Amino acid sequence: MDIGVVLQTDPPATEVVRLMKAADERGFTYGWTFDSVVLWQEPFVIYSQILAATKNLTVGPMVTNPSTRDWSVTASLFATLNDMFGNRTVCGIGRGDSARRVIGRKPATLATLRDAMHVIKELAEGREVEHHGTPVRIPWVRDGQLGMWMAAYGPKALQLVGEHADGFILQTADPAITRWTIGAVRDAATAAGRDPSEITMCVAAPAYVGEDVAHQRDQLRWFGGMVGNHVADLVERYGDSGPVPHELTDYIKGRESYDYAHHGKAGNPSTDFVPDGIVDRFCLVGPESAHIERLQELKELGVDQFSLYLMHDQRDETLNAYGKILEKL
């Protein structure tokens, strides 16, 4: 199982680069960041510094979206980094949550997301594609490679992953939800005539290694609120008794509002509705042994990569602990 790390691009950018370099030195193979350029700094500028400071990390957004940059811009950003550093990028992409809502726009449609994945990948790998009704090719791309990994929760989005994406990003470490979503992606891939084993399965969730579980829960409660934004959209579309598992929908009944000023931050006051049980299911908490047990369970469910969010008060300690956990997996 690959291990990755997910960071916000909070200033100073040098701290983001430092943590990515530390992850690289400890055996991590992926370095991800949020991509919401009003709330945090522009990630693609920082990626060049991360790639220059590391040897093995594959770097990309978790996740970008089809709407805040023209698809040709997104493709050229990846292609430029790959040309400079040797195909060490990956494009995590979704409909858009904070990046869209903080500028007064709704998330993109799945149809737009499908088209964007196709255009970005074709351009970043040097092929001609129709964009805005015009044939377009980036002429300087040589041997470009860009995996398109799509984040999803709902049935239609999971179907789109199976039909078109190179990888699947699930932002929760709950085993029951993992089993359901991976199964849905694999079924969709098979129905589309694709080999399901060629789709990389990535679970991303906060991890905090230590003994004070109560404190860890308080530090990671923000994640249930972040996931809740997407779940609320699913409940609006499918209802609370629809095809989405109750393990994912029941807990948001107490959700009232959400303030993106605290998005992805420990102590987020918009996440008081998230119970301890959800934190325990969605995140990895407790001593090293508990993390190893959950990671092994996820691996048995078909997870190829676990990427841990480091938005808490013991980032270096958890990075160090995961360096040791990697040796035991």
Side-chain angles (χ1 to χ4, degrees):
M1 177 186 283
D2 283 327
I3 297 292
V5 62
V6 189
L7 300 174
Q8 293 168 340
T9 51
D10 283 315
T14 52
E15 179 66 3
V16 180
V17 175
R18 182 190 71 81
L19 287 166
M20 290 290 188
K21 184 177 180 181
D24 184 58
E25 292 170 348
R26 285 155 182 76
F28 287 57
T29 48
Y30 280 78
W32 304 89
T33 75
F34 283 42
D35 179 16
S36 189
V37 295
V38 172
L39 297 178
W40 303 287
Q41 293 184 330
E42 169 58 58
F44 283 93
V45 176
I46 301 171
Y47 292 158
S48 63
Q49 297 294 310
I50 295 170
L51 288 164
T54 59
K55 297 179 180 179
N56 301 306
L57 284 188
T58 296
V59 174
M62 187 179 283
V63 292
T64 192
N65 68 84
S67 306
T68 53
R69 302 178 188 88
D70 187 83
W71 302 344
S72 64
V73 174
T74 302
S76 186
L77 287 166
F78 282 113
T80 301
L81 291 170
N82 283 339
D83 186 65
M84 293 172 67
F85 298 102
N87 288 331
R88 289 173 55 202
T89 69
V90 59
C91 180
I93 193 168
R95 294 174 58 221
D97 178 33
S98 62
R100 295 289 293 161
R101 288 179 164 126
V102 297
I103 60 172
R105 295 291 183 265
K106 294 181 179 180
T109 65
L110 288 176
T112 298
L113 178 55
R114 178 198 62 216
D115 294 344
M117 289 196 297
H118 173 68
V119 169
I120 292 168
K121 183 178 179 68
E122 294 299 292
L123 289 176
E125 295 187 346
R127 293 182 290 275
E128 183 178 292
V129 68
E130 186 171 294
H131 184 41
H132 300 310
T134 300
V136 178
R137 184 177 71 86
I138 301 177
W140 46 263
V141 173
R142 297 290 183 272
D143 301 318
Q145 296 177 20
L146 182 65
M148 300 297 298
W149 295 18
M150 181 181 154
Y153 292 106
K156 292 183 179 179
L158 294 168
Q159 180 179 348
L160 183 58
V161 174
E163 291 174 345
H164 296 283
D166 300 310
F168 167 48
I169 297 172
L170 173 64
Q171 291 165 307
T172 174
D174 180 280
I177 297 169
T178 300
R179 181 181 297 106
W180 174 70
T181 53
I182 287 180
V185 168
R186 286 175 170 168
D187 288 346
T190 300
R194 302 181 68 199
D195 182 352
S197 67
E198 294 183 356
I199 301 174
T200 303
M201 306 295 179
C202 173
V203 162
Y208 192 141
V209 180
E211 300 294 336
D212 189 349
V213 174
H215 176 72
Q216 293 174 13
R217 287 170 177 156
D218 288 340
Q219 286 283 299
L220 303 184
R221 204 173 305 277
W222 63 267
F223 185 68
M226 187 182 85
V227 174
N229 295 329
H230 302 284
V231 175
D233 288 343
L234 293 177
V235 170
E236 182 178 353
R237 174 172 294 187
Y238 296 104
D240 56 12
S241 59
V244 182
H246 69 87
E247 289 92 345
L248 189 57
T249 60
D250 284 355
Y251 83 100
I252 69 160
K253 292 178 180 178
R255 180 181 184 271
E256 296 180 357
S257 61
Y258 191 84
D259 183 355
Y260 280 92
H262 306 284
H263 188 57
K265 298 181 184 296
N268 185 339
S270 300
T271 62
D272 291 343
F273 70 94
V274 179
D276 288 348
I278 286 293
V279 180
D280 293 348
R281 282 171 39 204
F282 284 17
C283 307
L284 276 70
V285 298
E288 178 184 302
S289 59
H291 290 250
I292 292 173
E293 182 178 353
R294 178 71 68 85
L295 291 171
Q296 289 175 337
E297 184 176 9
L298 293 172
K299 185 176 181 179
E300 290 173 2
L301 291 172
V303 175
D304 301 300
Q305 178 187 151
F306 174 70
S307 280
L308 57 115
Y309 289 89
L310 272 187
M311 291 88 200
H312 56 68
D313 60 3
Q314 294 286 328
R315 299 193 297 181
D316 286 288
E317 292 83 352
T318 294
L319 269 183
N320 289 334
Y322 262 75
K324 298 175 182 177
I325 287 172
L326 264 169
E327 299 174 358
K328 301 177 181 180
L329 290 178

CSV table of all heavy atoms in Angstrom, one decimal, residues 220-245:
chain,number,residue,atom,x,y,z
A,220,LEU,N,-9.8,16.3,15.1
A,220,LEU,CA,-10.2,15.8,13.8
A,220,LEU,C,-11.7,15.9,13.5
A,220,LEU,O,-12.1,15.5,12.4
A,220,LEU,CB,-9.7,14.4,13.7
A,220,LEU,CG,-8.2,14.1,13.9
A,220,LEU,CD1,-8.0,12.6,13.6
A,220,LEU,CD2,-7.4,15.0,13.1
A,221,ARG,N,-12.4,16.5,14.4
A,221,ARG,CA,-13.9,16.6,14.2
A,221,ARG,C,-14.2,17.4,12.9
A,221,ARG,O,-15.3,17.2,12.3
A,221,ARG,CB,-14.6,17.2,15.4
A,221,ARG,CG,-16.0,16.8,15.6
A,221,ARG,CD,-16.6,17.3,16.9
A,221,ARG,NE,-15.8,16.8,18.0
A,221,ARG,CZ,-16.0,15.6,18.6
A,221,ARG,NH1,-16.9,14.8,18.1
A,221,ARG,NH2,-15.2,15.3,19.6
A,222,TRP,N,-13.3,18.3,12.6
A,222,TRP,CA,-13.6,19.1,11.4
A,222,TRP,C,-13.8,18.2,10.1
A,222,TRP,O,-14.5,18.7,9.2
A,222,TRP,CB,-12.3,20.0,11.1
A,222,TRP,CG,-11.1,19.3,10.8
A,222,TRP,CD1,-10.1,18.9,11.7
A,222,TRP,CD2,-10.6,18.8,9.5
A,222,TRP,NE1,-9.1,18.2,11.0
A,222,TRP,CE2,-9.4,18.1,9.7
A,222,TRP,CE3,-11.2,18.8,8.2
A,222,TRP,CZ2,-8.7,17.5,8.7
A,222,TRP,CZ3,-10.5,18.2,7.2
A,222,TRP,CH2,-9.2,17.6,7.4
A,223,PHE,N,-13.2,17.0,10.1
A,223,PHE,CA,-13.3,16.2,8.9
A,223,PHE,C,-14.7,15.8,8.6
A,223,PHE,O,-15.2,15.7,7.5
A,223,PHE,CB,-12.4,15.0,9.0
A,223,PHE,CG,-12.3,14.2,7.7
A,223,PHE,CD1,-11.7,14.7,6.6
A,223,PHE,CD2,-12.8,12.9,7.7
A,223,PHE,CE1,-11.7,13.9,5.4
A,223,PHE,CE2,-12.7,12.1,6.6
A,223,PHE,CZ,-12.2,12.6,5.4
A,224,GLY,N,-15.4,15.4,9.7
A,224,GLY,CA,-16.8,15.0,9.6
A,224,GLY,C,-17.7,16.2,9.0
A,224,GLY,O,-18.6,15.9,8.2
A,225,GLY,N,-17.3,17.4,9.3
A,225,GLY,CA,-18.0,18.5,8.8
A,225,GLY,C,-17.7,18.7,7.3
A,225,GLY,O,-18.6,19.0,6.5
A,226,MET,N,-16.5,18.5,6.9
A,226,MET,CA,-16.1,18.7,5.5
A,226,MET,C,-16.8,17.6,4.7
A,226,MET,O,-17.4,17.9,3.6
A,226,MET,CB,-14.6,18.5,5.4
A,226,MET,CG,-14.1,18.8,4.0
A,226,MET,SD,-12.3,18.6,3.8
A,226,MET,CE,-12.2,16.8,3.4
A,227,VAL,N,-16.8,16.4,5.1
A,227,VAL,CA,-17.5,15.3,4.4
A,227,VAL,C,-19.0,15.6,4.4
A,227,VAL,O,-19.7,15.3,3.4
A,227,VAL,CB,-17.2,13.9,5.1
A,227,VAL,CG1,-18.1,12.8,4.4
A,227,VAL,CG2,-15.7,13.6,4.9
A,228,GLY,N,-19.5,16.2,5.5
A,228,GLY,CA,-20.9,16.5,5.5
A,228,GLY,C,-21.4,17.4,4.5
A,228,GLY,O,-22.6,17.4,4.1
A,229,ASN,N,-20.5,18.3,4.0
A,229,ASN,CA,-20.9,19.2,2.9
A,229,ASN,C,-21.3,18.4,1.6
A,229,ASN,O,-22.3,18.7,1.0
A,229,ASN,CB,-19.8,20.1,2.5
A,229,ASN,CG,-19.4,21.1,3.6
A,229,ASN,OD1,-20.3,21.5,4.4
A,229,ASN,ND2,-18.2,21.5,3.7
A,230,HIS,N,-20.6,17.4,1.3
A,230,HIS,CA,-20.9,16.5,0.2
A,230,HIS,C,-22.1,15.6,0.5
A,230,HIS,O,-22.9,15.4,-0.4
A,230,HIS,CB,-19.7,15.6,-0.2
A,230,HIS,CG,-18.4,16.5,-0.4
A,230,HIS,ND1,-18.2,17.1,-1.6
A,230,HIS,CD2,-17.3,16.7,0.3
A,230,HIS,CE1,-17.1,17.7,-1.6
A,230,HIS,NE2,-16.5,17.5,-0.4
A,231,VAL,N,-22.2,15.1,1.7
A,231,VAL,CA,-23.3,14.3,2.1
A,231,VAL,C,-24.6,15.0,2.0
A,231,VAL,O,-25.6,14.5,1.5
A,231,VAL,CB,-23.1,13.7,3.4
A,231,VAL,CG1,-24.3,12.8,3.9
A,231,VAL,CG2,-21.8,12.8,3.5
A,232,ALA,N,-24.6,16.3,2.4
A,232,ALA,CA,-25.8,17.1,2.3
A,232,ALA,C,-26.3,17.2,0.9
A,232,ALA,O,-27.5,17.2,0.6
A,232,ALA,CB,-25.5,18.5,2.9
A,233,ASP,N,-25.4,17.3,-0.1
A,233,ASP,CA,-25.8,17.4,-1.5
A,233,ASP,C,-26.4,16.0,-1.9
A,233,ASP,O,-27.4,16.0,-2.7
A,233,ASP,CB,-24.5,17.7,-2.4
A,233,ASP,CG,-24.0,19.1,-2.3
A,233,ASP,OD1,-24.8,19.9,-1.8
A,233,ASP,OD2,-22.9,19.4,-2.7
A,234,LEU,N,-25.8,14.9,-1.4
A,234,LEU,CA,-26.4,13.6,-1.7
A,234,LEU,C,-27.8,13.4,-1.2
A,234,LEU,O,-28.7,12.9,-1.9
A,234,LEU,CB,-25.5,12.5,-1.2
A,234,LEU,CG,-24.1,12.4,-1.9
A,234,LEU,CD1,-23.3,11.3,-1.2
A,234,LEU,CD2,-24.2,12.1,-3.3
A,235,VAL,N,-28.0,13.8,0.1
A,235,VAL,CA,-29.3,13.7,0.7
A,235,VAL,C,-30.3,14.6,-0.1
A,235,VAL,O,-31.5,14.2,-0.3
A,235,VAL,CB,-29.2,14.1,2.2
A,235,VAL,CG1,-30.6,14.2,2.8
A,235,VAL,CG2,-28.4,13.1,2.9
A,236,GLU,N,-29.9,15.8,-0.5
A,236,GLU,CA,-30.8,16.6,-1.3
A,236,GLU,C,-31.2,15.9,-2.6
A,236,GLU,O,-32.3,16.1,-3.0
A,236,GLU,CB,-30.1,18.0,-1.5
A,236,GLU,CG,-31.0,18.9,-2.3
A,236,GLU,CD,-30.3,20.3,-2.5
A,236,GLU,OE1,-29.2,20.5,-2.0
A,236,GLU,OE2,-30.9,21.1,-3.3
A,237,ARG,N,-30.3,15.2,-3.2
A,237,ARG,CA,-30.5,14.6,-4.5
A,237,ARG,C,-31.3,13.2,-4.3
A,237,ARG,O,-32.2,13.0,-5.1
A,237,ARG,CB,-29.2,14.4,-5.2
A,237,ARG,CG,-29.4,13.6,-6.5
A,237,ARG,CD,-28.1,13.5,-7.3
A,237,ARG,NE,-27.8,14.9,-7.8
A,237,ARG,CZ,-26.8,15.1,-8.6
A,237,ARG,NH1,-26.0,14.1,-9.1
A,237,ARG,NH2,-26.5,16.4,-9.0
A,238,TYR,N,-30.8,12.4,-3.4
A,238,TYR,CA,-31.3,11.0,-3.3
A,238,TYR,C,-32.3,10.8,-2.1
A,238,TYR,O,-32.9,9.8,-2.0
A,238,TYR,CB,-30.2,10.1,-3.2
A,238,TYR,CG,-29.3,10.0,-4.4
A,238,TYR,CD1,-28.0,10.6,-4.3
A,238,TYR,CD2,-29.7,9.4,-5.5
A,238,TYR,CE1,-27.2,10.6,-5.4
A,238,TYR,CE2,-28.8,9.4,-6.6
A,238,TYR,CZ,-27.6,10.0,-6.6
A,238,TYR,OH,-26.7,9.9,-7.7
A,239,GLY,N,-32.4,11.8,-1.2
A,239,GLY,CA,-33.1,11.5,0.1
A,239,GLY,C,-32.3,10.7,1.1
A,239,GLY,O,-31.3,10.1,0.8
A,240,ASP,N,-32.8,10.7,2.3
A,240,ASP,CA,-32.0,10.0,3.4
A,240,ASP,C,-32.4,8.5,3.4
A,240,ASP,O,-31.8,7.8,4.3
A,240,ASP,CB,-32.3,10.6,4.7
A,240,ASP,CG,-33.8,10.7,5.1
A,240,ASP,OD1,-34.6,10.1,4.4
A,240,ASP,OD2,-34.1,11.4,6.1
A,241,SER,N,-33.2,8.0,2.5
A,241,SER,CA,-33.5,6.6,2.4
A,241,SER,C,-33.2,6.1,1.0
A,241,SER,O,-33.8,5.1,0.6
A,241,SER,CB,-34.9,6.3,2.8
A,241,SER,OG,-35.8,7.0,2.0
A,242,GLY,N,-32.4,6.8,0.3
A,242,GLY,CA,-32.0,6.4,-1.1
A,242,GLY,C,-30.9,5.4,-1.2
A,242,GLY,O,-30.7,4.7,-0.2
A,243,PRO,N,-30.2,5.4,-2.3
A,243,PRO,CA,-29.2,4.3,-2.5
A,243,PRO,C,-27.9,4.5,-1.7
A,243,PRO,O,-27.1,3.6,-1.6
A,243,PRO,CB,-28.9,4.4,-4.0
A,243,PRO,CG,-29.2,5.8,-4.4
A,243,PRO,CD,-30.4,6.2,-3.5
A,244,VAL,N,-27.7,5.7,-1.1
A,244,VAL,CA,-26.5,6.0,-0.4
A,244,VAL,C,-26.6,5.4,1.0
A,244,VAL,O,-27.6,5.5,1.7
A,244,VAL,CB,-26.3,7.5,-0.3
A,244,VAL,CG1,-25.0,7.8,0.5
A,244,VAL,CG2,-26.3,8.2,-1.6
A,245,PRO,N,-25.5,4.7,1.4
A,245,PRO,CA,-25.6,3.9,2.7
A,245,PRO,C,-25.8,4.9,3.9
A,245,PRO,O,-25.4,6.0,3.9
A,245,PRO,CB,-24.2,3.3,2.8
A,245,PRO,CG,-23.6,3.4,1.5
A,245,PRO,CD,-24.2,4.5,0.8
